[in-house]
Every structure is written in structure tokens, then in C-alpha cells.
Amino acid sequence: MTDRLSGKVALVTGASSGIGQATALAFARAGAKVVAASRRDAEGQETVRRIQEAGGEALFIKTDVSKASEVEALVNKTMDTYGRLDCACNSAGVISASSLLTDVSEDEWDRHINVNLKGTWLCLKYEIPAMLKQKSGAIVNLASAASIVAFAGYAAYAATKGGILALTRSAAIEYAKSGIRINVVSPGSINTDMLNSATEDIVSQLAAAHPVGRVGEPEEVAEAVVWLCSKAASFVTGHNMLIDGGYSVQ
């Protein structure tokens, strides 16, 4: 544990696995009290257990970020429990198997929009007023290298991540003078459950596509999120931090 975020309260959506879980654990290591949110109850509770086992404080709230009532309840419960909200990482998201855009069903398109883009907007919609009460706060949204680099077969996913990038920039401008910093991280290929389901050949290709010669780890993204929420990044807002092993600069 460190004291970088001692006395702070951090909320993380998508905290049941991957980058979201790693970020929740990283916030706790930095000294923050953590509210972990996810649709998956057992996995979310496991995140809380790991934080508590390491000596941290955490609370799990089951949440579907595509539903306004549940996001509002999440933030209200956070405020009722801790009385403040200092940091938030809006990590919840979905991605479908590769498919040409003309083969994407309307249901799949709507699912991406509702969870990835609408879900991020809803989180901002309710997190920002909570932070305005204390006139300070830091939010990090999760986009993707796909927000600026084209990946064939992932049009729906890329469209939502590009939308998150634009949404973040607009929000950052709107609330900069209110003491709230809003940034976005855009990971490349990261070693999560989604990647683990791919074949060894695909994983090897992805690793080779990154100049550093490997895929990233969730903890590497999590550390960037914590930095963006810390005082060390006090003059950073509206920024898209690419965490992609150099993929996007090729």
C-alpha cells in the first residue's frame, strides 16, 4: 500500500476482470477506498475480497452501466457510504468476435453502443455532479487504440471507442474550471480474458504487431489510470494516453 491516494474514494466499473479489476486493485494499493462495480456478482465480490485481503477497503455494487437507474444508484450508494467521490475509472465494455460491418446485427450494434458509449456517458452524467459537490475529482474513461487506428472486423467496437474519445474531450472542456479532470486511456492488445480465448497463432501475431514485441498486461494500464487520477497529473485533462507498446506510431 502507498499513500498516493490516501483518503480518496475511487469507483471502478467493469471491476470483475481484466483492466477494470487490475485498476480497482491498483487504486487500493495507492491507498484509496474502492467501490467496485460490475454486472458479474461473484467475480466482483472476488475483486473486493482480494482488496480486503491485502489490507484495503472496498465495496461491491452490482451494476449494469447501460441502465441509467443502476448507474445513478451506484453513485448514490458510493456517496451514502463514503460521503465523497474523488476518482473514477469507467472501464466496463463489450466487444464481439470479428465481423465485417455489413454482417453486424442491429442487436450487436446496439449492445456496443449501450454498454460502451452510453454506459460511459451515464457514468459521467452521475459521477460529475458528485464531484462538483467537493469541487474536485478525476475521471478516466477507457477507450482503445482502435479509437485512432483502424482494425478490420471491429467497426462497432471502434465506433464506440472513438465516441468515448470525443465524449471525454468534450467533458474535459466543460468541467475544467470546476476542478474536475477527465482523461482517457487507449490500450493496445492487453492480456485479458478476451485475448486468452484467442488461438496461440493470433496471440503471437498480436505480440509481433506491437513494436515492443509483446502484448500488454492489465496492470500496466491500471498504473496509468492511477497516475492520471493522482496529484502527479494535476495539469492533465482531455488527454488520450495511448498504452499500446508503440502500435499506433508505426
Side-chain angles (χ1 to χ4, degrees), residues 11 61-80 85 119 121-127 129-130:
L11 185 160
I61 303 175
K62 187 175 181 179
T63 307
D64 181 344
V65 298
S66 70
K67 297 180 179 177
S69 60
E70 294 194 21
V71 178
E72 182 179 22
L74 166 65
V75 175
N76 286 343
K77 179 65 174 178
T78 299
M79 297 298 287
D80 289 344
L85 177 60
W121 167 68
L122 285 173
C123 287
L124 292 171
K125 179 177 174 64
Y126 292 105
E127 291 162 354

Side-chain angles (χ1 to χ4, degrees), residues 18-246:
I19 293 171
Q21 183 180 69
T23 300
L25 295 171
F27 271 133
R29 286 194 300 271
K33 298 178 179 67
V34 178
V35 176
S38 170
R39 288 181 297 177
R40 294 186 288 175
D41 198 313
E43 292 90 338
Q45 295 285 3
E46 172 62 15
T47 300
V48 168
R49 186 197 67 76
R50 290 177 60 182
I51 290 171
Q52 293 172 340
E53 190 176 66
E57 184 174 345
L59 167 71
F60 173 71
I61 303 175
K62 187 175 181 179
T63 307
D64 181 344
V65 298
S66 70
K67 297 180 179 177
S69 60
E70 294 194 21
V71 178
E72 182 179 22
L74 166 65
V75 175
N76 286 343
K77 179 65 174 178
T78 299
M79 297 298 287
D80 289 344
T81 303
Y82 295 116
R84 60 187 299 117
L85 177 60
D86 301 285
C87 313
C89 177
N90 301 319
S91 175
V94 296
I95 184 171
S96 295
S98 177
S99 174
L100 293 176
L101 69 87
T102 52
D103 294 328
V104 175
S105 70
E106 186 175 357
D107 285 344
E108 273 302 291
W109 177 267
D110 288 345
R111 186 170 78 100
H112 279 83
I113 294 293
N114 288 337
V115 177
N116 296 356
L117 186 53
K118 179 185 174 184
T120 300
W121 167 68
L122 285 173
C123 287
L124 292 171
K125 179 177 174 64
Y126 292 105
E127 291 162 354
I128 289 171
M131 292 178 174
L132 286 173
K133 293 178 181 178
Q134 65 209 29
K135 299 180 181 179
S136 66
I139 300 172
V140 179
N141 296 323
L142 196 74
S144 166
S147 65
I148 64 167
V149 179
F151 289 85
Y154 294 96
Y157 177 78
T160 60
K161 293 302 183 177
I164 289 171
L165 179 54
L167 176 64
T168 300
R169 288 171 169 168
S170 294
I173 291 297
E174 289 184 11
Y175 294 97
K177 288 184 172 62
S178 301
I180 300 172
R181 296 184 298 103
I182 306 171
N183 293 289
V184 60
V185 293
S186 291
S189 296
I190 304 296
N191 185 22
T192 62
D193 290 345
M194 180 188 72
L195 193 65
N196 291 335
S197 66
T199 65
E200 288 187 16
D201 183 54
I202 290 176
V203 173
S204 295
Q205 290 178 36
L206 289 171
H210 293 69
V212 298
R214 64 176 177 86
V215 298
E217 296 297 327
E219 291 76 16
E220 293 176 301
V221 181
E223 287 301 321
V225 172
V226 171
W227 181 80
L228 285 168
C229 287
S230 73
K231 289 183 179 179
S234 58
F235 201 54
V236 181
T237 195
H239 178 59
N240 179 24
M241 179 178 286
L242 285 148
I243 309 170
D244 64 354

